[in-house]
Amino acid sequence: MLDHDPLLKNNILETIIDSAYEWIVVVDHEGIVRYMNKTYCEFLGENPKEVIGKHVTDVIENTRMHKAVLQGKVEIADLQFIRGNYMIANRIPIFNEGKVIGAVGTVIFRDTEQWKRMNSHIKALLHELNFYKKEWEEINGATYTLNDFAGTSMEVKKIKEHVKNIASGDLSVLIRGESGTGKELLAHSIHQLSERSAKPFIKLNCGAVPEHLFESELFGYSEGAFTGAKKGGKLGKFQLADGGTLFLDEIGDLPQSMQIKLLRVLQEKEVEPVGAVHTHKVNVRVIAATNRPLEQLILENKFREDLFYRINVLQIQIPPLRERKEDIWPLAESFIRINCRDTGKRIVSVDEEVKEAFLHYNWPGNARELKNFVEAAIQLTQYDRLTLNAFPDFLKEKLEVNNTQKTLKEHVQETERKVITHYLKKMNGDIMSVANQLGIGKTNLYDKIKKYNIRNE
C-alpha cells in the first residue's frame, strides 16, 4: 500500500525527519530557508509554516549556512552559539551538475538538556585530565615550548636558533628584555629542550618574596629552625629543582643580603637549609631573567659583579615589540586562536582598522599587553569578526583611535552603514525591499549588514 500512496509516503518521511536526532534545515542558493524540521523550529521559537521563505540569517543566529552556499565548502562539527548554548553544527553544500544549488545543515543536539548532559560528562573527564596534568606540572613545572614563542621577524628566528643551541648544556643563562616580552616562556623552552626536561622546573620570582623569607624559600629550613617552622622542615627551591632547572625571575630585585649566598650555592653546588648543620649537594641549572640594567646596578653597588658574571654565562636578549612590528600579527593571531579554543568563541576575521591601529601602537607592555587587548576584544564582541568597536573605550584611547580624522574609505563605510540602517528601519527589516531600493543584490546587502554589525530588528 505504501508504494501506491505518495501522500502516505510523504507523511511517513516527514515524521521520520521531524523525529530525527538532529535538527535539520535546508536552504537554497540564495540562503533562503526551504525546509526546517519541527523540533528545530520549536527550539528557535519559529512557526514551521512562516519560517519558509525567510533568509537563514533572520532565523538562526550566528549561522553560516549562507556562507556554505557561497563557498561550496563542507563544514563538519563546527561549534555554533545558539540561544545561550554552544551546539555542534554540520553544513553540507548541495551540488547539481557542478553548481551549488543549496545546502543542508544539521545540529546534533536537539535540546539543551542533551547538550548539558554531554557537557557535564566532558567536564568530568576534563577535571580528571586536569588533575593528572596538575600533578605532572607540580613535578615538572614547565608548560610552554618554543612553538609558543610566536613571531616571524629575523630577531625571533635568531632567538629560537640560539635557544636550540644552548638548551642541551648545563651553563647558566640570563634572559634579558622588557616586561611582557616572553622571558619566562623562553626559560620554559630551554628546560623542555634540555636533557633535564624529565626533571623538575621550579620558578621563583625574586621581586615577589619578602626579604626575610628569601633564605628559607631558596634553601629551605630544618625542623625547629624557628618558631612556626613546619614539622619535618621544608625543602627550598634549589632542593626541589635538584636534577632539573631553577628559574629565577626578576633577579635584579634579589636582596643584596641574598646575593652572596646565591653566589656560594652556584659555585659550590650545595645548599645549607636554615637551622641545619649539614649542607646538601644539588645538581641544578639556573636560568635567570631581568628587565633591569644589571650593569648600572653594579655601578651603584646594588648588584654583585661576581654574581652577574656567574649567571651571565649565556645571554638571550629579547627586543621589545615596538622594534619588531612584523611580529605583532603573528602574536595576535596566536592569542586569538588560543583564546577561541579556550572559550569556545569564534573569530573568523579581523578588520583592517584593528590591524592598522595595532601596528601604529607602541606596545609598552609588549606581548603581554597585546594578549590582554585581544582577550578583552574577544570577550566583548558578539560577532565572529573583530572590529575596533569590540575594544573597551580605554583601550581605544590607548590605540589612539581618532574618529575626527577619518580616511575617505572610513567616511564611505560610515555613510553606507547609516544608509543601510535607515532603510532597514524604514522598510521594517524587509531585506528584499531594501536591496531593491539601494540597487544591490541581496547577498551583497547581507555581507554589508554583517560587515558593519548592523542589527536588523
Side-chain angles (χ1 to χ4, degrees):
M1 179 176 176
L2 186 63
D3 293 336
H4 303 289
D5 192 340
L7 181 60
L8 181 58
K9 286 175 67 176
N10 288 338
N11 287 339
I12 291 175
L13 181 60
E14 187 171 347
T15 301
I16 292 171
I17 293 174
D18 279 337
S19 303
Y21 189 74
E22 296 92 353
W23 291 327
I24 300 171
V25 60
V26 179
V27 301
D28 64 16
H29 66 286
E30 291 185 328
I32 302 299
V33 176
R34 294 304 175 194
Y35 176 80
M36 180 177 283
N37 67 343
K38 185 179 178 181
T39 50
Y40 205 170
C41 289
E42 288 174 352
F43 175 77
L44 297 174
E46 295 283 349
N47 186 313
K49 294 180 180 178
E50 294 178 0
V51 78
I52 307 302
K54 289 185 178 181
H55 195 274
V56 68
T57 55
D58 294 329
V59 180
I60 307 171
E61 63 179 308
N62 301 316
T63 185
R64 286 178 52 81
M65 285 295 294
H66 57 306
K67 295 292 185 183
V69 174
L70 291 173
Q71 298 171 0
K73 293 181 179 179
V74 174
E75 297 181 358
I76 300 294
D78 183 38
L79 276 179
Q80 182 176 340
F81 192 73
I82 308 176
R83 302 195 69 179
N85 289 279
Y86 284 101
M87 306 295 182
I88 298 178
N90 303 316
R91 306 176 191 96
I92 313 294
I94 303 170
F95 289 89
N96 183 37
E97 297 180 354
K99 184 179 179 181
V100 180
I101 61 170
V104 58
T106 61
V107 177
I108 291 179
F109 297 97
R110 46 179 243 182
D111 64 59
T112 54
E113 289 306 314
Q114 290 175 336
W115 170 251
K116 288 176 183 176
R117 283 196 295 272
M118 182 173 179
N119 202 25
S120 298
H121 178 63
I122 292 172
K123 283 181 178 178
L125 293 176
L126 287 176
H127 281 307
E128 187 176 351
L129 175 64
N130 287 333
F131 172 80
Y132 291 115
K133 182 180 178 184
K134 184 177 180 182
E135 190 175 48
W136 166 248
E137 287 177 356
E138 287 176 354
I139 298 172
N140 180 274
T143 56
Y144 301 109
T145 69
L146 201 54
N147 291 330
D148 296 310
F149 194 68
T152 58
S153 67
M154 186 56 66
E155 290 87 347
V156 167
K157 291 177 181 177
K158 287 180 179 178
I159 288 171
K160 287 187 173 184
E161 285 302 313
H162 192 35
V163 167
K164 291 174 185 177
N165 289 334
I166 68 176
S168 60
D170 282 334
L171 297 176
S172 298
V173 181
L174 177 62
I175 306 173
R176 312 186 74 167
E178 294 180 4
S179 178
T181 50
K183 299 186 293 295
E184 182 176 344
L185 194 154
L186 285 188
H188 283 241
S189 302
I190 293 170
H191 175 77
Q192 298 277 38
L193 292 171
S194 73
E195 295 177 1
R196 297 173 177 264
S197 59
K199 297 294 184 177
F201 178 83
I202 304 297
K203 299 170 285 187
L204 178 68
N205 188 321
C206 299
V209 181
E211 186 170 351
H212 67 282
L213 295 178
F214 244 111
E215 188 169 6
S216 62
E217 278 294 313
L218 272 177
F219 311 131
Y221 56 80
S222 60
E223 184 174 346
F226 50 83
T227 303
K230 284 183 179 180
K231 186 178 181 179
K234 176 187 173 182
L235 296 177
K237 299 296 185 184
F238 268 97
Q239 289 170 293
L240 291 172
D242 193 22
T245 304
L246 176 61
F247 174 50
L248 298 175
D249 198 8
E250 305 299 347
I251 197 168
D253 295 329
L254 188 69
Q256 287 182 290
S257 59
M258 288 303 303
Q259 291 178 21
I260 183 63
K261 295 180 179 181
L262 175 60
L263 178 63
R264 180 184 174 279
V265 173
L266 296 179
Q267 289 175 335
E268 306 297 330
K269 299 187 184 304
E270 60 182 23
V271 297
E272 184 177 332
V274 177
V277 294
H278 300 291
T279 59
H280 301 275
K281 286 288 184 181
V282 289
N283 173 20
V284 174
R285 184 184 196 177
V286 170
I287 300 176
T290 185
N291 60 3
R292 303 190 66 185
L294 295 184
E295 293 85 352
Q296 182 63 35
L297 294 180
I298 291 171
L299 293 176
E300 296 171 0
N301 293 320
K302 294 180 179 179
F303 199 86
R304 293 183 62 95
E305 188 174 14
D306 47 3
L307 177 59
F308 173 73
Y309 289 125
R310 175 63 65 174
I311 63 174
N312 191 35
V313 180
L314 299 170
Q315 185 178 132
I316 299 175
Q317 181 76 42
I318 308 176
L321 198 53
R322 62 182 173 273
E323 293 179 8
R324 47 187 178 96
K325 292 204 167 185
E326 59 266 50
D327 290 331
I328 291 174
W329 271 111
L331 274 168
E333 288 170 347
S334 174
F335 295 146
I336 290 171
R337 184 174 61 255
I338 292 170
N339 188 263
C340 287
R341 180 195 67 197
D342 293 343
T343 64
K345 285 241 182 180
R346 178 185 176 90
I347 300 296
V348 297
S349 61
V350 180
D351 273 5
E352 288 299 322
E353 288 84 353
V354 176
K355 296 180 181 181
E356 188 175 343
F358 275 24
L359 289 172
H360 283 88
Y361 184 53
N362 207 34
W363 299 110
N366 294 291
R368 184 182 293 119
E369 185 179 19
L370 174 60
K371 183 174 184 285
N372 293 338
F373 271 41
V374 167
E375 289 179 349
I378 293 175
Q379 178 66 33
L380 293 174
T381 189
Q382 298 178 5
Y383 307 97
D384 60 6
R385 183 177 182 85
L386 215 55
T387 68
L388 281 173
N389 290 331
F391 291 86
D393 290 339
F394 78 95
L395 291 185
K396 285 191 276 192
E397 288 176 10
K398 279 191 172 186
L399 292 173
E400 297 180 355
V401 178
N402 190 343
N403 292 325
T404 61
Q405 297 179 351
K406 296 178 181 176
T407 64
L408 177 60
K409 178 182 177 183
E410 288 170 333
H411 282 295
V412 170
Q413 290 177 339
E414 184 177 352
T415 302
E416 273 192 342
R417 188 182 190 281
K418 287 180 179 178
V419 170
I420 293 171
T421 302
H422 169 75
Y423 278 99
L424 282 171
K425 289 181 179 178
K426 182 179 178 180
M427 297 179 176
N428 297 319
D430 189 330
I431 296 293
M432 184 62 75
S433 298
V434 174
N436 290 337
Q437 184 68 34
L438 298 178
I440 61 176
K442 192 161 57 174
T443 300
N444 191 8
L445 177 58
Y446 274 114
D447 287 341
K448 289 183 182 295
I449 289 173
K450 192 170 187 66
K451 175 182 178 181
Y452 299 131
N453 296 329
I454 299 172
R455 291 185 177 273
N456 185 15
E457 299 175 348

